[in-house]
């Protein structure tokens, strides 16, 4: 199927502005997932600023992803934690721009590394 500029823009807008998933927009507009995804990327590149404005405050929250995994130590008669998947999320606390990033870990080093990586806009 061939697409035209108006259809590609409608597909990108449906995902970006309309709050639809790529699958929903593809179903509604009779387009495949890869085509709608490309339309979304092109549309977003046109409307988003080259450099996003700096945020005033970054919110930091930790989230457990999945359940902890425990194993009983028969020698000591205790339970030992094998895996505990904590992640730290960074969000725009006041500007409403949502999630900036997420890293594995639950320690100050993970936070410092992400903040110093230049991934986030620095607080003003």
């Amino acid at each position: 199927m061939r697409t035209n500029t108006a259809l590609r823009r409608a597909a990108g807008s449906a995902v970006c502005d309309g709050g639809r998933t790529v699958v929903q927009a593809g179903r509604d507009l009779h387009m495949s997932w890869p085509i709608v995804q490309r339309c979304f990327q092109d549309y977003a590149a046109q409307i988003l600023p080259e450099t996003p404005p700096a945020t005033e405050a970054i919110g930091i929250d930790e989230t457990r992803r999945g359940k902890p995994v425990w194993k009983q130590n028969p020698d000591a008669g205790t339970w030992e934690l094998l895996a505990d998947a904590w992640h730290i999320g960074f969000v725009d606390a006041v500007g409403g721009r949502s999630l900036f990033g997420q890293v594995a870990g639950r320690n100050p080093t993970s936070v410092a590394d992400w903040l110093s990586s230049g991934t986030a806009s620095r607080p003003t």
Side-chain angles (χ1 to χ4, degrees), residues 55 57-59 89-101 114:
T55 185
I58 293 178
F90 302 90
V91 297
D92 185 0
V94 294
R97 289 195 330 245
S98 195
L99 183 67
F100 286 136
W114 187 84

Side-chain angles (χ1 to χ4, degrees), residues 30-118:
H30 306 289
M31 299 170 74
S32 68
W33 188 95
I35 299 297
V36 175
Q37 178 66 24
R38 179 63 182 194
C39 293
F40 165 61
Q41 291 170 333
D42 293 344
Y43 183 84
Q46 291 174 1
I47 65 166
L48 292 175
E50 182 97 10
T51 304
T55 185
E56 294 179 28
I58 293 178
I60 301 173
D61 193 14
E62 53 191 27
T63 305
R64 177 179 276 156
R65 295 185 52 126
K67 296 179 181 179
V69 179
W70 297 87
K71 179 181 178 184
Q72 189 171 20
N73 182 339
D75 298 332
T78 60
W79 287 89
E80 297 174 355
L81 184 62
L82 295 180
D84 198 9
W86 285 91
H87 286 234
I88 298 172
F90 302 90
V91 297
D92 185 0
V94 294
R97 289 195 330 245
S98 195
L99 183 67
F100 286 136
Q102 183 171 322
V103 296
R106 188 183 181 197
N107 55 56
T109 305
S110 298
V111 174
D113 289 348
W114 187 84
L115 290 173
S116 65
S117 72

